[in-house]
Amino acid sequence: MTVAPYRVHKLIQELMRDPARAAAFAEDPEPAFEVFGLAEAEKALLRDGSPAALHKLGVHANLQMKYARLRLRPAGTAVPGGGPLAAYLDRLLED
Amino acid sequence: MGRIVGGFATSHVLFPPTGVEDKATRVIDGMLEMRARIRALSPDVIVLAASDHLNNFSLAMQVTLAVGVADEFTTLGDSGAPAVTFQGMRDFAEGFVRFAGGREFDLVQVEEARPDHGMAIPRLVIDPKNEFRIVPVYINCNMPVPPSPSRCYRLGGALKDYVESERPAGERAVVVGAGGLSHWLCLPEQGKVAADFDEAFIDKMISGRAEELARLTTHEIELASGNGGLEATAWLFVAGALPAARGDKLYYEPIPEWISGMGGVSLSPAAA
Protein backbone atom coordinates (compact mmCIF):
# COMPACT_ATOMS: atom_id res chain seq x y z
CA MET A 1 0.00 0.00 0.00
CA THR A 2 1.25 3.47 -0.90
CA VAL A 3 2.26 5.72 1.99
CA ALA A 4 2.31 9.46 1.35
CA PRO A 5 5.62 11.29 1.81
CA TYR A 6 6.00 12.73 5.28
CA ARG A 7 5.78 16.30 3.92
CA VAL A 8 2.12 15.64 3.02
CA HIS A 9 1.32 14.33 6.48
CA LYS A 10 3.30 17.14 8.09
CA LEU A 11 1.19 19.72 6.24
CA ILE A 12 -2.06 18.23 7.57
CA GLN A 13 -0.73 17.75 11.10
CA GLU A 14 0.60 21.28 11.38
CA LEU A 15 -2.48 22.97 9.90
CA MET A 16 -4.87 21.10 12.18
CA ARG A 17 -3.02 22.47 15.19
CA ASP A 18 -3.05 26.10 13.97
CA PRO A 19 -6.53 27.59 13.47
CA ALA A 20 -5.19 30.72 11.74
CA ARG A 21 -3.18 28.76 9.20
CA ALA A 22 -6.09 26.34 8.77
CA ALA A 23 -8.44 29.20 7.98
CA ALA A 24 -5.98 30.59 5.44
CA PHE A 25 -5.63 27.13 3.91
CA ALA A 26 -9.41 26.82 3.51
CA GLU A 27 -9.36 30.06 1.52
CA ASP A 28 -6.31 29.25 -0.61
CA PRO A 29 -4.25 26.09 -0.18
CA GLU A 30 -1.54 27.00 -2.68
CA PRO A 31 0.76 28.95 -0.33
CA ALA A 32 0.80 26.05 2.14
CA PHE A 33 1.55 23.60 -0.65
CA GLU A 34 4.63 25.70 -1.45
CA VAL A 35 5.74 26.04 2.19
CA PHE A 36 5.71 22.28 2.65
CA GLY A 37 7.52 21.67 -0.63
CA LEU A 38 4.92 19.43 -2.23
CA ALA A 39 5.47 17.94 -5.68
CA GLU A 40 3.05 18.82 -8.46
CA ALA A 41 1.46 15.35 -8.42
CA GLU A 42 0.91 15.61 -4.66
CA LYS A 43 -0.64 19.08 -5.01
CA ALA A 44 -3.01 17.81 -7.69
CA LEU A 45 -4.26 14.95 -5.53
CA LEU A 46 -4.72 17.23 -2.53
CA ARG A 47 -6.57 19.80 -4.68
CA ASP A 48 -8.86 16.96 -5.79
CA GLY A 49 -9.32 15.96 -2.15
CA SER A 50 -11.68 13.06 -2.91
CA PRO A 51 -11.34 9.85 -0.90
CA ALA A 52 -10.01 8.14 -4.02
CA ALA A 53 -7.37 10.83 -4.56
CA LEU A 54 -6.25 10.83 -0.93
CA HIS A 55 -6.10 7.02 -0.95
CA LYS A 56 -4.00 7.10 -4.12
CA LEU A 57 -1.64 9.55 -2.47
CA GLY A 58 -1.43 7.27 0.56
CA VAL A 59 -2.65 9.70 3.20
CA HIS A 60 -3.10 8.09 6.63
CA ALA A 61 -6.79 7.33 7.24
CA ASN A 62 -7.06 9.54 10.33
CA LEU A 63 -5.34 12.39 8.53
CA GLN A 64 -7.66 11.99 5.53
CA MET A 65 -10.54 12.83 7.84
CA LYS A 66 -8.71 15.83 9.26
CA TYR A 67 -7.81 17.01 5.76
CA ALA A 68 -11.46 16.82 4.71
CA ARG A 69 -12.37 19.04 7.66
CA LEU A 70 -9.59 21.48 6.81
CA ARG A 71 -11.02 21.86 3.32
CA LEU A 72 -14.68 21.98 4.22
CA ARG A 73 -14.85 24.66 6.84
CA PRO A 74 -12.69 26.90 8.96
CA ALA A 75 -11.31 25.20 12.04
CA GLY A 76 -13.55 25.50 15.09
CA THR A 77 -16.80 25.78 13.16
CA ALA A 78 -19.55 23.77 14.81
CA VAL A 79 -20.88 20.65 13.16
CA PRO A 80 -24.46 21.22 11.96
CA GLY A 81 -27.10 19.29 13.92
CA GLY A 82 -25.18 19.15 17.20
CA GLY A 83 -22.74 16.38 16.36
CA PRO A 84 -22.95 12.61 16.05
CA LEU A 85 -23.87 11.97 19.69
CA ALA A 86 -26.72 14.47 19.89
CA ALA A 87 -29.44 11.82 19.62
CA TYR A 88 -28.01 9.86 22.55
CA LEU A 89 -26.78 12.45 25.02
CA ASP A 90 -29.97 12.45 27.08
CA ARG A 91 -29.66 8.71 27.72
CA LEU A 92 -25.90 8.77 28.15
CA LEU A 93 -25.94 11.62 30.63
CA GLU A 94 -28.88 10.42 32.71
CA ASP A 95 -27.96 8.63 35.88
CA MET B 1 -3.00 -7.65 46.80
CA GLY B 2 -5.44 -5.88 44.56
CA ARG B 3 -7.78 -7.65 42.19
CA ILE B 4 -9.05 -7.17 38.68
CA VAL B 5 -12.73 -7.67 39.30
CA GLY B 6 -14.06 -7.28 35.78
CA GLY B 7 -13.21 -6.70 32.15
CA PHE B 8 -15.22 -5.04 29.43
CA ALA B 9 -14.76 -4.16 25.78
CA THR B 10 -16.85 -1.99 23.51
CA SER B 11 -16.90 -0.09 20.27
CA HIS B 12 -16.07 3.57 20.78
CA VAL B 13 -18.07 5.50 18.21
CA LEU B 14 -21.70 6.46 17.83
CA PHE B 15 -23.37 8.03 14.83
CA PRO B 16 -26.89 9.43 14.24
CA PRO B 17 -29.63 6.79 14.40
CA THR B 18 -31.33 7.89 11.19
CA GLY B 19 -32.33 4.79 9.24
CA VAL B 20 -30.89 2.38 11.83
CA GLU B 21 -33.02 3.31 14.82
CA ASP B 22 -33.54 -0.20 16.18
CA LYS B 23 -29.88 -1.16 15.87
CA ALA B 24 -28.81 2.11 17.49
CA THR B 25 -31.17 1.50 20.40
CA ARG B 26 -29.73 -1.98 20.96
CA VAL B 27 -26.19 -0.56 20.87
CA ILE B 28 -27.03 2.06 23.48
CA ASP B 29 -28.87 -0.53 25.59
CA GLY B 30 -25.75 -2.71 25.52
CA MET B 31 -23.49 0.18 26.45
CA LEU B 32 -25.75 1.11 29.36
CA GLU B 33 -25.75 -2.51 30.54
CA MET B 34 -21.95 -2.25 30.59
CA ARG B 35 -22.27 0.89 32.72
CA ALA B 36 -24.55 -0.90 35.19
CA ARG B 37 -22.24 -3.89 35.50
CA ILE B 38 -19.19 -1.68 36.11
CA ARG B 39 -21.00 0.28 38.79
CA ALA B 40 -22.05 -2.94 40.49
CA LEU B 41 -18.38 -3.91 40.75
CA SER B 42 -17.55 -0.72 42.74
CA PRO B 43 -14.10 -0.23 41.19
CA ASP B 44 -11.43 1.87 42.88
CA VAL B 45 -9.76 2.41 39.51
CA ILE B 46 -10.73 1.85 35.88
CA VAL B 47 -7.98 1.18 33.34
CA LEU B 48 -9.31 2.42 29.99
CA ALA B 49 -7.45 1.22 26.90
CA ALA B 50 -7.95 2.59 23.41
CA SER B 51 -6.18 4.10 20.46
CA ASP B 52 -5.48 7.75 19.72
CA HIS B 53 -6.59 9.03 16.33
CA LEU B 54 -3.56 11.19 15.58
CA ASN B 55 -4.85 13.85 17.92
CA ASN B 56 -2.22 13.47 20.64
CA PHE B 57 0.45 11.32 19.01
CA SER B 58 1.16 12.26 15.43
CA LEU B 59 3.38 10.81 12.76
CA ALA B 60 6.03 13.27 13.94
CA MET B 61 6.70 10.98 16.91
CA GLN B 62 4.97 7.66 16.74
CA VAL B 63 3.85 6.41 20.15
CA THR B 64 2.45 2.88 20.24
CA LEU B 65 2.03 1.85 23.89
CA ALA B 66 1.61 4.55 26.53
CA VAL B 67 0.09 5.17 29.94
CA GLY B 68 -1.52 8.38 31.12
CA VAL B 69 0.10 9.14 34.46
CA ALA B 70 -1.26 12.63 35.14
CA ASP B 71 -3.52 13.50 38.04
CA GLU B 72 -6.26 14.56 35.68
CA PHE B 73 -7.10 14.66 32.00
CA THR B 74 -9.51 16.73 29.94
CA THR B 75 -11.04 15.00 26.94
CA LEU B 76 -10.62 16.59 23.53
CA GLY B 77 -14.28 17.25 22.79
CA ASP B 78 -14.29 15.61 19.35
CA SER B 79 -16.91 13.41 17.70
CA GLY B 80 -19.71 14.91 19.76
CA ALA B 81 -18.35 13.86 23.16
CA PRO B 82 -18.32 16.83 25.53
CA ALA B 83 -14.92 17.96 26.84
CA VAL B 84 -14.80 16.70 30.43
CA THR B 85 -12.07 16.72 33.06
CA PHE B 86 -11.67 13.41 34.87
CA GLN B 87 -9.34 12.15 37.58
CA GLY B 88 -6.41 9.90 36.74
CA MET B 89 -4.52 7.86 39.34
CA ARG B 90 -0.85 8.74 39.32
CA ASP B 91 0.51 6.18 41.76
CA PHE B 92 -1.29 3.33 40.00
CA ALA B 93 -0.23 4.51 36.54
CA GLU B 94 3.42 5.22 37.35
CA GLY B 95 3.66 1.98 39.30
CA PHE B 96 2.31 0.06 36.32
CA VAL B 97 4.88 1.61 33.99
CA ARG B 98 7.71 0.71 36.37
CA PHE B 99 6.38 -2.83 36.84
CA ALA B 100 5.92 -3.33 33.09
CA GLY B 101 9.52 -2.19 32.61
CA GLY B 102 10.54 -5.39 34.36
CA ARG B 103 8.41 -7.38 31.92
CA GLU B 104 10.13 -6.14 28.75
CA PHE B 105 7.59 -3.36 28.14
CA ASP B 106 9.10 0.11 27.81
CA LEU B 107 5.93 2.15 28.10
CA VAL B 108 5.69 5.86 27.35
CA GLN B 109 4.50 7.93 30.31
CA VAL B 110 2.04 10.62 29.27
CA GLU B 111 1.65 13.72 31.43
CA GLU B 112 -0.23 15.77 28.85
CA ALA B 113 -2.92 14.42 26.55
CA ARG B 114 -6.46 15.30 25.59
CA PRO B 115 -8.04 11.87 25.20
CA ASP B 116 -10.11 11.87 22.02
CA HIS B 117 -13.36 10.07 21.24
CA GLY B 118 -11.62 6.70 21.48
CA MET B 119 -11.61 7.15 25.25
CA ALA B 120 -14.07 10.01 25.69
CA ILE B 121 -17.11 8.14 24.36
CA PRO B 122 -16.56 5.02 26.48
CA ARG B 123 -15.80 7.28 29.46
CA LEU B 124 -19.13 8.99 28.91
CA VAL B 125 -20.80 5.58 28.76
CA ILE B 126 -19.26 4.14 31.90
CA ASP B 127 -18.96 7.21 34.10
CA PRO B 128 -21.52 9.94 33.39
CA LYS B 129 -21.30 11.21 36.98
CA ASN B 130 -17.51 11.49 36.72
CA GLU B 131 -17.05 9.54 39.93
CA PHE B 132 -14.31 7.09 39.01
CA ARG B 133 -10.55 7.45 38.70
CA ILE B 134 -9.51 6.40 35.24
CA VAL B 135 -6.02 5.46 34.02
CA PRO B 136 -5.75 5.82 30.22
CA VAL B 137 -3.67 3.18 28.44
CA TYR B 138 -2.93 3.82 24.79
CA ILE B 139 -2.97 0.72 22.61
CA ASN B 140 -2.23 2.82 19.59
CA CYS B 141 -3.08 0.69 16.59
CA ASN B 142 -3.25 3.77 14.38
CA MET B 143 0.51 4.07 14.21
CA PRO B 144 2.14 2.84 11.00
CA VAL B 145 3.77 -0.01 12.95
CA PRO B 146 1.16 -0.92 15.56
CA PRO B 147 1.74 -3.07 18.64
CA SER B 148 1.11 -6.73 17.79
CA PRO B 149 -1.97 -8.57 19.08
CA SER B 150 0.28 -10.88 21.11
CA ARG B 151 2.08 -7.95 22.70
CA CYS B 152 -1.18 -6.24 23.65
CA TYR B 153 -2.45 -9.47 25.24
CA ARG B 154 0.80 -9.91 27.18
CA LEU B 155 0.66 -6.29 28.36
CA GLY B 156 -2.74 -7.11 29.82
CA GLY B 157 -1.08 -9.99 31.64
CA ALA B 158 1.51 -7.61 33.04
CA LEU B 159 -1.32 -5.40 34.31
CA LYS B 160 -2.92 -8.37 36.08
CA ASP B 161 0.37 -9.31 37.74
CA TYR B 162 0.95 -5.68 38.74
CA VAL B 163 -2.45 -5.33 40.38
CA GLU B 164 -2.09 -8.64 42.19
CA SER B 165 1.48 -8.16 43.38
CA GLU B 166 1.96 -4.43 43.90
CA ARG B 167 -1.38 -2.84 44.66
CA PRO B 168 -2.91 -2.44 48.13
CA ALA B 169 -5.03 -5.23 49.56
CA GLY B 170 -8.65 -4.87 48.62
CA GLU B 171 -8.10 -2.51 45.69
CA ARG B 172 -10.60 -3.28 42.93
CA ALA B 173 -9.63 -2.62 39.32
CA VAL B 174 -11.80 -2.83 36.23
CA VAL B 175 -10.26 -2.96 32.74
CA VAL B 176 -12.10 -1.57 29.73
CA GLY B 177 -10.92 -1.81 26.12
CA ALA B 178 -12.49 0.39 23.48
CA GLY B 179 -12.53 0.29 19.69
CA GLY B 180 -13.52 -1.90 16.75
CA LEU B 181 -14.98 -4.07 15.66
CA SER B 182 -14.54 -4.44 11.89
CA HIS B 183 -14.33 -1.29 9.84
CA TRP B 184 -12.40 -0.08 6.87
CA LEU B 185 -11.71 3.62 7.37
CA CYS B 186 -10.96 5.80 4.32
CA LEU B 187 -10.29 2.75 2.19
CA PRO B 188 -12.13 1.59 -0.94
CA GLU B 189 -13.86 -1.07 1.22
CA GLN B 190 -15.33 1.56 3.58
CA GLY B 191 -18.86 0.51 4.55
CA LYS B 192 -18.04 -3.18 4.56
CA VAL B 193 -18.65 -4.98 7.86
CA ALA B 194 -17.15 -8.41 8.57
CA ALA B 195 -19.97 -9.68 10.76
CA ASP B 196 -18.78 -13.30 10.72
CA PHE B 197 -15.30 -12.30 11.89
CA ASP B 198 -16.74 -9.98 14.53
CA GLU B 199 -19.12 -12.61 15.90
CA ALA B 200 -16.33 -15.19 16.04
CA PHE B 201 -14.08 -12.68 17.79
CA ILE B 202 -16.76 -11.97 20.38
CA ASP B 203 -17.43 -15.67 20.85
CA LYS B 204 -13.77 -16.39 21.61
CA MET B 205 -13.54 -13.37 23.91
CA ILE B 206 -16.40 -14.60 26.08
CA SER B 207 -15.64 -18.33 26.05
CA GLY B 208 -12.17 -18.36 27.56
CA ARG B 209 -10.43 -18.62 24.16
CA ALA B 210 -9.10 -15.10 23.65
CA GLU B 211 -5.53 -16.37 23.66
CA GLU B 212 -6.30 -17.85 20.22
CA LEU B 213 -7.11 -14.34 19.00
CA ALA B 214 -3.82 -13.06 20.38
CA ARG B 215 -2.02 -15.49 18.07
CA LEU B 216 -3.37 -13.67 15.02
CA THR B 217 -0.91 -11.33 13.36
CA THR B 218 -1.55 -7.65 12.77
CA HIS B 219 -1.85 -8.40 9.07
CA GLU B 220 -4.39 -11.17 9.62
CA ILE B 221 -6.65 -8.98 11.75
CA GLU B 222 -6.33 -6.06 9.31
CA LEU B 223 -7.09 -8.29 6.33
CA ALA B 224 -10.16 -9.80 8.00
CA SER B 225 -11.59 -6.73 9.72
CA GLY B 226 -10.01 -3.64 8.20
CA ASN B 227 -7.61 -1.00 9.43
CA GLY B 228 -10.17 0.01 12.06
CA GLY B 229 -10.59 -3.60 13.10
CA LEU B 230 -7.10 -3.42 14.56
CA GLU B 231 -8.64 -1.45 17.41
CA ALA B 232 -9.64 -4.87 18.75
CA THR B 233 -6.08 -5.05 20.09
CA ALA B 234 -7.49 -3.02 23.01
CA TRP B 235 -9.92 -5.91 23.57
CA LEU B 236 -6.94 -8.28 23.65
CA PHE B 237 -5.31 -6.12 26.34
CA VAL B 238 -8.44 -6.70 28.43
CA ALA B 239 -8.40 -10.42 27.65
CA GLY B 240 -4.78 -10.65 28.73
CA ALA B 241 -5.68 -9.02 32.05
CA LEU B 242 -8.40 -11.64 32.60
CA PRO B 243 -6.91 -14.83 31.16
CA ALA B 244 -9.35 -17.65 30.40
CA ALA B 245 -12.20 -15.41 31.49
CA ARG B 246 -15.73 -16.10 30.36
CA GLY B 247 -18.45 -13.59 29.94
CA ASP B 248 -21.38 -12.24 28.02
CA LYS B 249 -22.02 -10.55 24.73
CA LEU B 250 -23.64 -7.25 25.63
CA TYR B 251 -24.44 -6.26 22.06
CA TYR B 252 -23.45 -6.79 18.46
CA GLU B 253 -24.85 -4.99 15.47
CA PRO B 254 -23.33 -4.82 12.01
CA ILE B 255 -24.11 -1.28 10.88
CA PRO B 256 -22.77 -0.46 7.40
CA GLU B 257 -24.37 2.98 7.70
CA TRP B 258 -21.93 3.63 10.56
CA ILE B 259 -19.18 1.85 8.59
CA SER B 260 -18.67 -0.41 11.64
CA GLY B 261 -19.37 -3.66 13.33
CA MET B 262 -20.52 -2.46 16.75
CA GLY B 263 -19.93 -4.79 19.66
CA GLY B 264 -19.47 -5.06 23.39
CA VAL B 265 -18.65 -7.77 25.92
CA SER B 266 -18.38 -8.28 29.66
CA LEU B 267 -15.82 -10.63 31.26
CA SER B 268 -15.63 -12.06 34.76
CA PRO B 269 -12.24 -13.21 36.07
CA ALA B 270 -11.67 -16.95 35.92
CA ALA B 271 -11.54 -18.71 39.26
CA ALA B 272 -7.99 -18.99 40.58
Side-chain angles (χ1 to χ4, degrees), chain B residues 184-227:
Chain B
W184 281 258
L185 184 66
C186 296
L187 291 170
E189 300 93 333
Q190 181 165 300
K192 174 180 169 183
V193 174
D196 289 347
F197 178 87
D198 292 343
E199 294 269 26
F201 198 98
I202 286 173
D203 185 57
K204 287 186 176 172
M205 281 287 296
I206 63 175
S207 60
R209 298 162 62 200
E211 193 172 9
E212 295 175 32
L213 299 169
R215 290 190 211 119
L216 295 170
T217 66
T218 296
H219 180 67
E220 286 169 336
I221 292 182
E222 192 167 11
L223 197 63
S225 64
N227 52 353

Side-chain angles (χ1 to χ4, degrees), chain A residues 1 3 6 9-10 13 16-17 51 54-55 59-66 69 82-89 91-95, chain B residues 14-17 24-25 28-29 32 35 39 53-56 58-60 79-81 121 124-125 128-129 142 185-188 227 258:
Chain A
M1 196 171 80
V3 177
Y6 182 61
H9 288 140
K10 183 177 172 71
Q13 289 179 167
M16 66 180 243
R17 287 181 165 80
L54 298 180
H55 178 65
V59 178
H60 188 288
N62 294 137
L63 294 180
Q64 285 193 42
M65 300 183 73
K66 298 179 196 315
R69 287 197 291 274
L85 261 63
Y88 313 108
L89 281 179
R91 286 196 73 192
L92 289 174
L93 290 171
E94 75 184 7
D95 187 21
Chain B
L14 287 167
F15 293 103
T25 296
I28 294 291
D29 287 347
L32 294 181
R35 170 193 292 179
R39 274 191 180 165
H53 300 78
L54 273 72
N55 288 308
N56 292 284
S58 75
L59 298 180
S79 298
I121 290 178
L124 179 62
V125 168
K129 291 171 67 177
N142 289 318
L185 184 66
C186 296
L187 291 170
N227 52 353
W258 292 6

Side-chain angles (χ1 to χ4, degrees), chain B residues 96-267:
Chain B
F96 176 45
V97 173
R98 278 193 296 274
F99 183 88
R103 297 293 184 91
E104 310 298 329
F105 286 99
D106 309 305
L107 303 176
V108 173
Q109 294 197 108
V110 177
E111 290 280 2
E112 297 184 40
R114 297 282 306 273
D116 68 19
H117 68 275
M119 292 185 181
I121 290 178
R123 194 216 65 83
L124 179 62
V125 168
I126 64 182
D127 190 18
K129 291 171 67 177
N130 210 2
E131 59 190 340
F132 295 122
R133 301 178 77 178
I134 298 177
V135 173
V137 171
Y138 283 101
I139 305 289
N140 204 3
C141 64
N142 289 318
M143 289 291 109
V145 184
S148 72
S150 165
R151 192 161 165 75
C152 298
Y153 183 86
R154 284 186 284 119
L155 182 60
L159 176 69
K160 175 183 190 294
D161 291 346
Y162 166 63
V163 169
E164 293 181 352
S165 65
E166 303 266 325
R167 297 303 299 170
E171 185 173 78
R172 300 168 65 83
V174 160
V175 191
V176 179
L181 288 166
S182 65
H183 58 290
W184 281 258
L185 184 66
C186 296
L187 291 170
E189 300 93 333
Q190 181 165 300
K192 174 180 169 183
V193 174
D196 289 347
F197 178 87
D198 292 343
E199 294 269 26
F201 198 98
I202 286 173
D203 185 57
K204 287 186 176 172
M205 281 287 296
I206 63 175
S207 60
R209 298 162 62 200
E211 193 172 9
E212 295 175 32
L213 299 169
R215 290 190 211 119
L216 295 170
T217 66
T218 296
H219 180 67
E220 286 169 336
I221 292 182
E222 192 167 11
L223 197 63
S225 64
N227 52 353
L230 273 180
E231 289 174 343
T233 44
W235 292 45
L236 295 179
F237 172 72
V238 176
L242 291 95
R246 293 175 177 271
D248 300 318
K249 176 170 75 174
L250 299 178
Y251 68 96
Y252 180 71
E253 300 291 336
I255 311 184
E257 294 85 348
W258 292 6
I259 67 165
S260 293
M262 299 286 299
V265 298
S266 166
L267 300 178

